[in-house]
Amino acid sequence: MIRLEPRPAPSATMRVATPVVAIVLTILTGLLIFALLGKDPVRGFAVFFVNPLKTTYGISEWLLKATPLALCAAGLAVGFRASVWNIGAEGQFMLGAIGATLVALYAGSMPVVTLVLMILAGIAAGALWAAIPAFLRTHFNASEILVSLMLVYVAELLVSWLVFGPLRDPMGFNFPQTVMFEPAALLPILVPGTRLNLVLGFVVLVLLATYVLVFKTHLGFKMRVAGESPNAARYAGISAKTMVWLGLLIGGACAGLAGMAEVAGPMGQLTDKVGSGYGFAAIIVAFVGRLHPLGIALASLLMALFFIGGEQSQQYLGLPGSISMVFQGLLLFYLLATDVLIGYRLRLGRDAHVTNAVKAKAG
Amino acid sequence: MDLLTSILFATVVAGTPLLLVALGELICEKSGMLNLGAEGMMSIGAVAAFVAAFTFESTLMGVASGLVAGALLSLVFAFITVHLMANQVATGLAVAIFGVGLAAFLGKPFEAKVLPSIKPTEIPFLSDLPLVGPVLFGQQWIVYATWVIFAVVVWFLAKTRGGLVLKAVGESPDAANAVGIDVVKVRYLAILFGGAMAGLGGAFLSLFHTPMWAEGMVAGKGWIALALVVFATWLPWRVLLGAYLFGGVMISQLFVQSSPIPVKIPAQFLSALPYIATIVVLVLISRNVKMIRLNSPASLGKPFQKERA
């Protein structure tokens, strides 16, 4: 019989090891799924994890795909640390895209100025969208989980209305999209011949900033206390309201920036396909990355592979692209399941072990 | 049918999946388990129901498959949260993401296929009554089944020992454990019921409401059902009321769009109404902290460790 025996202290090794275990289990399950679908697992693995990284262009696309995930996840992680459950990054991402698009279309194209305005508009729009659940949470006690989520659907419809209506490109053959942005409204390319642009710089900045905030400031310390022990935080006079506001606004701002980078980068315009699930995937990235900026950087690279692999498997394996969402969900399941090993040891044997260990822990 | 009758008729239809899912979640939350995965369990239920009904040319097979698929996915949630004591919010989100993704994946080959639509089961004489006849007695059989399930849930919670046990576990698992209640078993059963009802709600969408499967057809109904449970402050009668209230909001856009008086509101604004209404309702209910605290299960969302007791 396999038993769980409480550890005297949470295992730091396991905290780092379980994401790796979860990744390995997800990949193994993926191979099994390929085999069950009658596809060659080796080929499936190659399509998902090897082929995308074979060329410089492939690697640049991979990095580019990881950027919105890392941006959204970095912001979400700040909130999650304080137990603020912002689930609406997907909507805040879309609002950021809308904000940036409005600037690109109406502010005129000036070198640098347009881009700076777009960045500010994207950040502001994302933060504003996140401010709604923050306000409703702090003033009316409404669950930020459900409110931020409902706002994803509202944001989706808002984008749809804009690109089908007021912002539609009159010359766009009735496609739901705006005109292509002027060059001044596009992020500069970092590596010639690829689509990898300045957004990579944003990611580095945001990850550094969230690291400093969470681990090097008093405010970050308070947020961590609030997240780990709400009661202790209350006694210490840490305002729960401030945490809710900070958590949501930072999450919204980061997601908004990611949305801006999406329309000012690979898309070059706003279309009704702007929300591609980055905001939801970022929740997984944040958890797999252990809410730590370095972990998030690594996890976003992994998750980006899932996204690209999904597209590739559509092309080369004839499988629906939604297989990437299946992998994402599996990864989170495995992570949450294996996380039990942080606080517990697996033991094979009789009950006596457990009772003794519990007594030892209690005593 | 006159306009009022058709509005009420459509309200009942639109409210039925919400009622099913919210009743399931209500029972699940009464045991102290917060499963946010309703959207995923509904999606998987909808796909499983459609695929089975299409393959076996049997509605009943479809309904059964939807139930089982929703329950199976909730079993994953149960194992990770009850046995492995993982965070319920995160695990519920995983269920939602995984379920929506898996449903899209499995359903792909079946998109653009249709099933024969299911005729209403009219109850003789009663369905001929004006207004209430078609609305209450001229619906598809699944609607009547939903009312039976509702009645059973009300009876179970109010009148049975099982209901008492369930509430005891949700209030204080430690105390329940101390008096010899198998907390793990009760929570598993409650989660499974929640999953089965979400699966059935999904099956309603893909078999009865629009006899087809399309990616994204659940469109947040699972999340709205979760909000309904809060709206209802964990009381079944208010779940019933809330489900039909939201059903009404959902179908109102269709009637505005097809109304003879031209209305200059973009379709997207009308489609956003149910989501905005959900937020408004959540705000109105949640501001009364006392009422929420009084009715919500005290241990909701908290893991239970048997060894500690």
Side-chain angles (χ1 to χ4, degrees), chain A residues 233-273:
Chain A
R234 220 176 357 258
Y235 289 125
I238 296 172
S239 153
K241 283 188 179 181
T242 314
M243 296 302 130
V244 170
W245 274 107
L246 272 176
L248 276 155
L249 287 184
I250 292 172
C254 290
L257 179 62
M260 176 273 166
E262 189 71 4
V263 290
M267 293 184 88
Q269 65 186 153
L270 182 68
T271 81
D272 64 340
K273 302 271 184 294

Side-chain angles (χ1 to χ4, degrees), chain B residues 205-216:
Chain B
L205 294 179
S206 67
L207 299 181
F208 295 87
H209 192 41
T210 50
M212 53 161 232
W213 161 257
E215 192 180 333

Side-chain angles (χ1 to χ4, degrees), chain A residues 67 71 190 197-208 257:
Chain A
T67 56
L71 284 176
L190 290 182
N197 60 47
L198 195 61
V199 65
L200 201 60
F202 298 171
V203 172
V204 174
L205 277 180
V206 166
L207 288 177
L208 276 175
L257 179 62

Side-chain angles (χ1 to χ4, degrees), chain A residues 104-105 108-110 114 118 179-187 268:
Chain A
L105 296 182
S109 59
M110 299 156 275
T114 301
M118 283 171 76
V179 294
M180 291 298 288
F181 294 175
E182 298 284 328
L186 295 176
L187 288 167

Side-chain angles (χ1 to χ4, degrees), chain B residues 26-175:
Chain B
L26 174 76
I27 293 291
C28 179
E29 290 190 14
K30 279 277 179 194
S31 80
M33 302 304 288
L34 177 66
N35 186 352
L36 294 178
E39 183 82 3
M41 298 186 294
M42 264 186 106
S43 302
I44 211 71
V47 157
F50 186 85
V51 171
F54 190 84
T55 312
F56 301 105
E57 291 178 3
S58 151
T59 309
L60 223 52
M61 280 299 285
V63 168
S65 304
L67 267 171
V68 171
L72 279 178
L73 185 52
S74 75
L75 202 60
V76 178
F77 175 85
F79 178 71
I80 297 178
T81 53
V82 177
H83 269 110
L84 304 180
M85 294 160 285
N87 180 310
Q88 293 174 24
V89 172
T91 312
L93 289 172
V95 170
I97 295 171
F98 178 75
V100 171
L102 187 63
F105 181 74
L106 296 176
K108 201 77 190 171
F110 292 86
E111 277 192 340
K113 292 192 164 58
V114 280
L115 286 166
S117 50
I118 296 159
K119 295 260 166 332
T121 307
E122 288 175 351
I123 295 173
F125 309 116
L126 290 174
S127 63
D128 296 331
L129 291 170
L131 193 61
V132 292
V135 174
L136 296 182
F137 307 109
Q139 298 277 4
Q140 290 163 321
W141 64 262
I142 192 85
V143 175
Y144 308 131
T146 304
W147 290 336
V148 173
I149 293 169
F150 171 77
V152 171
V153 166
V154 170
W155 167 78
F156 174 79
L157 284 175
K159 301 275 180 205
T160 66
R161 194 187 128 69
L164 219 59
V165 167
L166 178 75
K167 285 183 274 188
V169 168
E171 283 307 315
S172 170
D174 290 329

